[in-house]
Amino acid sequence: MEYLNTILKYSKMYKQHFFTLSNGNKIPGPSTIGAGSIYYKPDESTYNPELTKFLEKAFQELKGVIHVDAADYYNTYPETGDAFKANFKNGWKKREELWYTDKFDSNGGNTPTPKIHVDKVLDRLGLGYIDLYLIHHPIVSEKLNLDVVQI
């Protein structure tokens, strides 16, 4: 939480910036927060309430678009999902004020294909869409039996 308190201290000076892509769409510039592998867990069977509290506080108190970085590999969907659900229930941030990045574990992690992974994430988090979806590793495990076209 000390990390978030430091961010909150400087957030009074915050101004949201956007970048225009070549197709005319805009994406938010680097936000004041990204919560990713800092809360990595070896599996989802343990619950880390600190991550949920961290995200809830960010949703409540930080200005601008909040970036949440996640991955199949981090095993943090229970906490992240609870924080998103609390956010929408309490009306802290609208969906368009949240930038959600997720990554498929191409090393053969928890889900066998990107489509299955996306469906799982959308169902568990209740977001409706993922803003940015990435392949987490540059090499696709042979045990997945996928090629770049399928991914």
Short mmCIF file of all heavy atoms in Angstrom, two decimals, residues 110-151:
data_model
loop_
_atom_site.label_atom_id
_atom_site.label_comp_id
_atom_site.label_asym_id
_atom_site.label_seq_id
_atom_site.Cartn_x
_atom_site.Cartn_y
_atom_site.Cartn_z
N ASN A 110 -2.44 -21.73 -17.67
CA ASN A 110 -3.73 -22.18 -17.16
C ASN A 110 -4.80 -22.42 -18.21
O ASN A 110 -5.78 -23.10 -17.92
CB ASN A 110 -4.26 -21.14 -16.16
CG ASN A 110 -3.33 -20.98 -14.98
OD1 ASN A 110 -2.74 -21.93 -14.51
ND2 ASN A 110 -3.18 -19.76 -14.50
N THR A 111 -4.66 -21.86 -19.40
CA THR A 111 -5.67 -22.04 -20.44
C THR A 111 -5.01 -22.45 -21.75
O THR A 111 -3.93 -21.96 -22.08
CB THR A 111 -6.52 -20.77 -20.65
OG1 THR A 111 -5.65 -19.65 -20.80
CG2 THR A 111 -7.45 -20.52 -19.49
N PRO A 112 -5.65 -23.33 -22.53
CA PRO A 112 -5.01 -23.90 -23.71
C PRO A 112 -5.01 -23.01 -24.96
O PRO A 112 -4.18 -23.21 -25.84
CB PRO A 112 -5.82 -25.17 -23.98
CG PRO A 112 -7.16 -24.91 -23.38
CD PRO A 112 -6.92 -24.00 -22.21
N THR A 113 -5.93 -22.03 -25.06
CA THR A 113 -5.97 -21.17 -26.25
C THR A 113 -6.30 -19.74 -25.84
O THR A 113 -6.93 -19.51 -24.79
CB THR A 113 -7.06 -21.63 -27.25
OG1 THR A 113 -8.35 -21.37 -26.70
CG2 THR A 113 -6.90 -23.10 -27.62
N PRO A 114 -5.92 -18.77 -26.66
CA PRO A 114 -6.27 -17.38 -26.37
C PRO A 114 -7.78 -17.16 -26.26
O PRO A 114 -8.24 -16.42 -25.39
CB PRO A 114 -5.68 -16.61 -27.54
CG PRO A 114 -4.55 -17.45 -28.01
CD PRO A 114 -5.01 -18.87 -27.81
N LYS A 115 -8.57 -17.80 -27.12
CA LYS A 115 -10.03 -17.60 -27.08
C LYS A 115 -10.60 -18.08 -25.75
O LYS A 115 -11.41 -17.38 -25.13
CB LYS A 115 -10.71 -18.33 -28.23
CG LYS A 115 -12.23 -18.29 -28.09
CD LYS A 115 -12.96 -18.21 -29.37
CE LYS A 115 -14.45 -18.16 -29.27
NZ LYS A 115 -15.09 -17.59 -28.15
N ILE A 116 -10.19 -19.25 -25.31
CA ILE A 116 -10.67 -19.76 -24.02
C ILE A 116 -10.25 -18.81 -22.90
O ILE A 116 -11.02 -18.51 -21.99
CB ILE A 116 -10.15 -21.20 -23.77
CG1 ILE A 116 -10.82 -22.16 -24.74
CG2 ILE A 116 -10.39 -21.63 -22.32
CD1 ILE A 116 -10.22 -23.56 -24.74
N HIS A 117 -9.02 -18.31 -22.98
CA HIS A 117 -8.53 -17.39 -21.96
C HIS A 117 -9.35 -16.10 -21.93
O HIS A 117 -9.77 -15.64 -20.86
CB HIS A 117 -7.05 -17.07 -22.20
CG HIS A 117 -6.49 -16.10 -21.22
ND1 HIS A 117 -6.01 -14.87 -21.60
CD2 HIS A 117 -6.38 -16.14 -19.88
CE1 HIS A 117 -5.60 -14.21 -20.53
NE2 HIS A 117 -5.81 -14.96 -19.47
N VAL A 118 -9.61 -15.50 -23.09
CA VAL A 118 -10.39 -14.26 -23.15
C VAL A 118 -11.79 -14.49 -22.58
O VAL A 118 -12.28 -13.69 -21.77
CB VAL A 118 -10.46 -13.71 -24.58
CG1 VAL A 118 -11.52 -12.63 -24.71
CG2 VAL A 118 -9.10 -13.17 -25.02
N ASP A 119 -12.42 -15.58 -22.98
CA ASP A 119 -13.76 -15.87 -22.46
C ASP A 119 -13.75 -16.01 -20.94
O ASP A 119 -14.63 -15.50 -20.24
CB ASP A 119 -14.32 -17.15 -23.10
CG ASP A 119 -14.68 -16.97 -24.56
OD1 ASP A 119 -14.82 -15.81 -25.02
OD2 ASP A 119 -14.81 -18.00 -25.26
N LYS A 120 -12.73 -16.68 -20.40
CA LYS A 120 -12.60 -16.87 -18.96
C LYS A 120 -12.43 -15.52 -18.25
O LYS A 120 -13.10 -15.24 -17.25
CB LYS A 120 -11.40 -17.77 -18.65
CG LYS A 120 -11.08 -17.93 -17.17
CD LYS A 120 -9.91 -18.88 -16.95
CE LYS A 120 -8.67 -18.11 -16.57
NZ LYS A 120 -7.55 -18.95 -16.15
N VAL A 121 -11.56 -14.69 -18.79
CA VAL A 121 -11.29 -13.38 -18.18
C VAL A 121 -12.54 -12.50 -18.19
O VAL A 121 -12.91 -11.91 -17.17
CB VAL A 121 -10.13 -12.67 -18.91
CG1 VAL A 121 -10.02 -11.22 -18.49
CG2 VAL A 121 -8.82 -13.40 -18.66
N LEU A 122 -13.21 -12.42 -19.32
CA LEU A 122 -14.40 -11.57 -19.42
C LEU A 122 -15.48 -12.04 -18.46
O LEU A 122 -16.16 -11.23 -17.82
CB LEU A 122 -14.91 -11.52 -20.85
CG LEU A 122 -13.99 -10.81 -21.85
CD1 LEU A 122 -14.56 -10.90 -23.25
CD2 LEU A 122 -13.75 -9.37 -21.44
N ASP A 123 -15.64 -13.34 -18.33
CA ASP A 123 -16.64 -13.89 -17.42
C ASP A 123 -16.28 -13.60 -15.97
O ASP A 123 -17.12 -13.19 -15.17
CB ASP A 123 -16.78 -15.40 -17.65
CG ASP A 123 -17.84 -16.02 -16.77
OD1 ASP A 123 -19.01 -15.57 -16.84
OD2 ASP A 123 -17.51 -16.96 -16.02
N ARG A 124 -15.03 -13.79 -15.62
CA ARG A 124 -14.62 -13.64 -14.21
C ARG A 124 -14.54 -12.19 -13.75
O ARG A 124 -14.77 -11.90 -12.59
CB ARG A 124 -13.26 -14.30 -14.01
CG ARG A 124 -13.37 -15.82 -14.16
CD ARG A 124 -12.10 -16.50 -13.89
NE ARG A 124 -11.91 -16.63 -12.46
CZ ARG A 124 -10.82 -17.10 -11.91
NH1 ARG A 124 -9.84 -17.49 -12.66
NH2 ARG A 124 -10.71 -17.18 -10.61
N LEU A 125 -14.21 -11.28 -14.67
CA LEU A 125 -14.03 -9.90 -14.26
C LEU A 125 -15.24 -9.02 -14.52
O LEU A 125 -15.34 -7.92 -13.96
CB LEU A 125 -12.80 -9.30 -14.95
CG LEU A 125 -11.47 -10.03 -14.70
CD1 LEU A 125 -10.34 -9.29 -15.38
CD2 LEU A 125 -11.20 -10.20 -13.22
N GLY A 126 -16.14 -9.45 -15.38
CA GLY A 126 -17.33 -8.66 -15.67
C GLY A 126 -17.06 -7.35 -16.37
O GLY A 126 -17.77 -6.37 -16.18
N LEU A 127 -16.03 -7.32 -17.21
CA LEU A 127 -15.64 -6.07 -17.87
C LEU A 127 -16.33 -5.83 -19.20
O LEU A 127 -16.46 -4.69 -19.62
CB LEU A 127 -14.12 -6.05 -18.10
CG LEU A 127 -13.27 -5.92 -16.85
CD1 LEU A 127 -11.80 -5.94 -17.23
CD2 LEU A 127 -13.60 -4.65 -16.10
N GLY A 128 -16.69 -6.87 -19.91
CA GLY A 128 -17.31 -6.70 -21.23
C GLY A 128 -16.29 -6.72 -22.36
O GLY A 128 -16.58 -7.20 -23.44
N TYR A 129 -15.10 -6.20 -22.14
CA TYR A 129 -14.05 -6.22 -23.16
C TYR A 129 -12.69 -6.00 -22.50
O TYR A 129 -12.59 -5.50 -21.38
CB TYR A 129 -14.29 -5.16 -24.25
CG TYR A 129 -14.32 -3.73 -23.76
CD1 TYR A 129 -13.16 -2.95 -23.72
CD2 TYR A 129 -15.51 -3.15 -23.32
CE1 TYR A 129 -13.19 -1.64 -23.27
CE2 TYR A 129 -15.55 -1.84 -22.88
CZ TYR A 129 -14.39 -1.08 -22.85
OH TYR A 129 -14.42 0.21 -22.40
N ILE A 130 -11.65 -6.40 -23.23
CA ILE A 130 -10.26 -6.19 -22.82
C ILE A 130 -9.71 -5.10 -23.72
O ILE A 130 -9.86 -5.15 -24.94
CB ILE A 130 -9.45 -7.50 -22.98
CG1 ILE A 130 -9.97 -8.56 -22.00
CG2 ILE A 130 -7.97 -7.24 -22.76
CD1 ILE A 130 -9.37 -9.95 -22.21
N ASP A 131 -9.05 -4.10 -23.14
CA ASP A 131 -8.52 -3.00 -23.94
C ASP A 131 -7.28 -3.38 -24.74
O ASP A 131 -7.12 -2.93 -25.87
CB ASP A 131 -8.18 -1.81 -23.02
CG ASP A 131 -9.41 -1.26 -22.36
OD1 ASP A 131 -10.19 -0.57 -23.05
OD2 ASP A 131 -9.63 -1.52 -21.16
N LEU A 132 -6.41 -4.17 -24.15
CA LEU A 132 -5.19 -4.59 -24.82
C LEU A 132 -4.92 -6.04 -24.45
O LEU A 132 -4.89 -6.38 -23.27
CB LEU A 132 -4.00 -3.71 -24.40
CG LEU A 132 -2.64 -4.05 -24.99
CD1 LEU A 132 -2.65 -3.88 -26.52
CD2 LEU A 132 -1.56 -3.16 -24.37
N TYR A 133 -4.75 -6.87 -25.47
CA TYR A 133 -4.50 -8.30 -25.24
C TYR A 133 -3.19 -8.67 -25.89
O TYR A 133 -2.96 -8.38 -27.07
CB TYR A 133 -5.65 -9.13 -25.83
CG TYR A 133 -5.62 -10.58 -25.41
CD1 TYR A 133 -5.78 -10.94 -24.08
CD2 TYR A 133 -5.43 -11.58 -26.35
CE1 TYR A 133 -5.75 -12.27 -23.69
CE2 TYR A 133 -5.41 -12.91 -25.96
CZ TYR A 133 -5.57 -13.24 -24.64
OH TYR A 133 -5.55 -14.57 -24.25
N LEU A 134 -2.31 -9.29 -25.13
CA LEU A 134 -0.96 -9.60 -25.59
C LEU A 134 -0.64 -11.08 -25.44
O LEU A 134 -1.24 -11.78 -24.62
CB LEU A 134 0.07 -8.80 -24.77
CG LEU A 134 -0.11 -7.29 -24.72
CD1 LEU A 134 0.78 -6.68 -23.65
CD2 LEU A 134 0.17 -6.68 -26.08
N ILE A 135 0.33 -11.53 -26.21
CA ILE A 135 0.92 -12.85 -26.01
C ILE A 135 2.07 -12.62 -25.03
O ILE A 135 2.96 -11.81 -25.29
CB ILE A 135 1.44 -13.45 -27.34
CG1 ILE A 135 0.33 -13.50 -28.38
CG2 ILE A 135 2.06 -14.82 -27.10
CD1 ILE A 135 -0.89 -14.29 -27.99
N HIS A 136 2.06 -13.30 -23.90
CA HIS A 136 2.98 -13.00 -22.81
C HIS A 136 4.43 -13.36 -23.11
O HIS A 136 5.34 -12.69 -22.65
CB HIS A 136 2.53 -13.74 -21.54
CG HIS A 136 2.97 -13.05 -20.28
ND1 HIS A 136 2.35 -13.26 -19.09
CD2 HIS A 136 3.93 -12.15 -20.01
CE1 HIS A 136 2.92 -12.53 -18.14
NE2 HIS A 136 3.88 -11.85 -18.68
N HIS A 137 4.65 -14.39 -23.87
CA HIS A 137 6.01 -14.85 -24.12
C HIS A 137 6.24 -14.94 -25.63
O HIS A 137 5.32 -15.28 -26.37
CB HIS A 137 6.25 -16.23 -23.50
CG HIS A 137 5.88 -16.30 -22.05
ND1 HIS A 137 6.67 -15.78 -21.06
CD2 HIS A 137 4.79 -16.80 -21.43
CE1 HIS A 137 6.08 -15.97 -19.89
NE2 HIS A 137 4.95 -16.58 -20.08
N PRO A 138 7.45 -14.70 -26.09
CA PRO A 138 7.70 -14.73 -27.53
C PRO A 138 7.71 -16.13 -28.14
O PRO A 138 7.60 -16.28 -29.34
CB PRO A 138 9.08 -14.08 -27.66
CG PRO A 138 9.73 -14.31 -26.34
CD PRO A 138 8.62 -14.30 -25.32
N ILE A 139 7.81 -17.14 -27.31
CA ILE A 139 7.86 -18.52 -27.82
C ILE A 139 6.60 -19.25 -27.36
O ILE A 139 6.24 -19.23 -26.19
CB ILE A 139 9.12 -19.25 -27.30
CG1 ILE A 139 10.37 -18.53 -27.81
CG2 ILE A 139 9.11 -20.72 -27.71
CD1 ILE A 139 11.65 -18.98 -27.20
N VAL A 140 5.93 -19.89 -28.31
CA VAL A 140 4.72 -20.65 -28.00
C VAL A 140 5.12 -22.10 -27.70
O VAL A 140 5.80 -22.74 -28.50
CB VAL A 140 3.71 -20.60 -29.16
CG1 VAL A 140 2.49 -21.44 -28.84
CG2 VAL A 140 3.31 -19.17 -29.45
N SER A 141 4.70 -22.59 -26.56
CA SER A 141 5.02 -23.94 -26.16
C SER A 141 4.47 -24.96 -27.17
O SER A 141 3.33 -24.85 -27.62
CB SER A 141 4.42 -24.23 -24.78
OG SER A 141 4.55 -25.59 -24.46
N GLU A 142 5.27 -25.96 -27.50
CA GLU A 142 4.82 -27.00 -28.42
C GLU A 142 3.64 -27.79 -27.86
O GLU A 142 2.80 -28.26 -28.62
CB GLU A 142 5.99 -27.95 -28.73
CG GLU A 142 7.04 -27.33 -29.61
CD GLU A 142 8.16 -28.29 -29.96
OE1 GLU A 142 7.97 -29.52 -29.82
OE2 GLU A 142 9.23 -27.82 -30.37
N LYS A 143 3.55 -27.89 -26.54
CA LYS A 143 2.45 -28.66 -25.96
C LYS A 143 1.09 -28.01 -26.21
O LYS A 143 0.06 -28.67 -26.12
CB LYS A 143 2.68 -28.91 -24.47
CG LYS A 143 2.54 -27.72 -23.57
CD LYS A 143 2.81 -28.12 -22.12
CE LYS A 143 2.69 -26.92 -21.22
NZ LYS A 143 2.94 -27.24 -19.83
N LEU A 144 1.06 -26.72 -26.55
CA LEU A 144 -0.21 -26.06 -26.86
C LEU A 144 -0.72 -26.41 -28.26
O LEU A 144 -1.89 -26.25 -28.55
CB LEU A 144 -0.07 -24.54 -26.75
CG LEU A 144 0.10 -23.99 -25.35
CD1 LEU A 144 0.33 -22.48 -25.39
CD2 LEU A 144 -1.10 -24.31 -24.49
N ASN A 145 0.20 -26.86 -29.12
CA ASN A 145 -0.17 -27.23 -30.48
C ASN A 145 -0.88 -26.08 -31.21
O ASN A 145 -1.91 -26.28 -31.85
CB ASN A 145 -1.03 -28.50 -30.48
CG ASN A 145 -1.06 -29.15 -31.86
OD1 ASN A 145 -0.14 -28.99 -32.65
ND2 ASN A 145 -2.14 -29.86 -32.15
N LEU A 146 -0.36 -24.87 -31.06
CA LEU A 146 -0.89 -23.68 -31.72
C LEU A 146 0.20 -23.06 -32.59
O LEU A 146 1.38 -23.22 -32.33
CB LEU A 146 -1.29 -22.63 -30.68
CG LEU A 146 -2.40 -22.99 -29.71
CD1 LEU A 146 -2.50 -21.92 -28.63
CD2 LEU A 146 -3.72 -23.12 -30.45
N ASP A 147 -0.23 -22.37 -33.64
CA ASP A 147 0.74 -21.58 -34.38
C ASP A 147 0.34 -20.12 -34.31
O ASP A 147 -0.71 -19.77 -33.75
CB ASP A 147 0.88 -22.08 -35.83
CG ASP A 147 -0.41 -21.96 -36.64
OD1 ASP A 147 -1.20 -21.04 -36.38
OD2 ASP A 147 -0.60 -22.79 -37.53
N VAL A 148 1.14 -19.24 -34.86
CA VAL A 148 0.89 -17.82 -34.76
C VAL A 148 -0.47 -17.45 -35.35
O VAL A 148 -1.17 -16.59 -34.81
CB VAL A 148 2.01 -17.03 -35.47
CG1 VAL A 148 1.69 -15.55 -35.52
CG2 VAL A 148 3.32 -17.25 -34.74
N VAL A 149 -0.89 -18.07 -36.42
CA VAL A 149 -2.17 -17.78 -37.03
C VAL A 149 -3.32 -18.12 -36.07
O VAL A 149 -4.27 -17.37 -35.93
CB VAL A 149 -2.35 -18.53 -38.36
CG1 VAL A 149 -3.74 -18.35 -38.93
CG2 VAL A 149 -1.29 -18.07 -39.35
N GLN A 150 -3.21 -19.24 -35.37
CA GLN A 150 -4.25 -19.63 -34.42
C GLN A 150 -4.30 -18.71 -33.21
O GLN A 150 -5.34 -18.48 -32.64
CB GLN A 150 -4.02 -21.06 -33.94
CG GLN A 150 -4.26 -22.10 -35.02
CD GLN A 150 -3.81 -23.46 -34.55
OE1 GLN A 150 -2.67 -23.67 -34.19
NE2 GLN A 150 -4.75 -24.41 -34.56
N ILE A 151 -3.15 -18.20 -32.81
CA ILE A 151 -3.10 -17.32 -31.66
C ILE A 151 -3.70 -16.00 -32.04
O ILE A 151 -4.50 -15.42 -31.42
CB ILE A 151 -1.66 -17.14 -31.15
CG1 ILE A 151 -1.19 -18.43 -30.53
CG2 ILE A 151 -1.58 -16.02 -30.13
CD1 ILE A 151 0.20 -18.41 -30.00
#
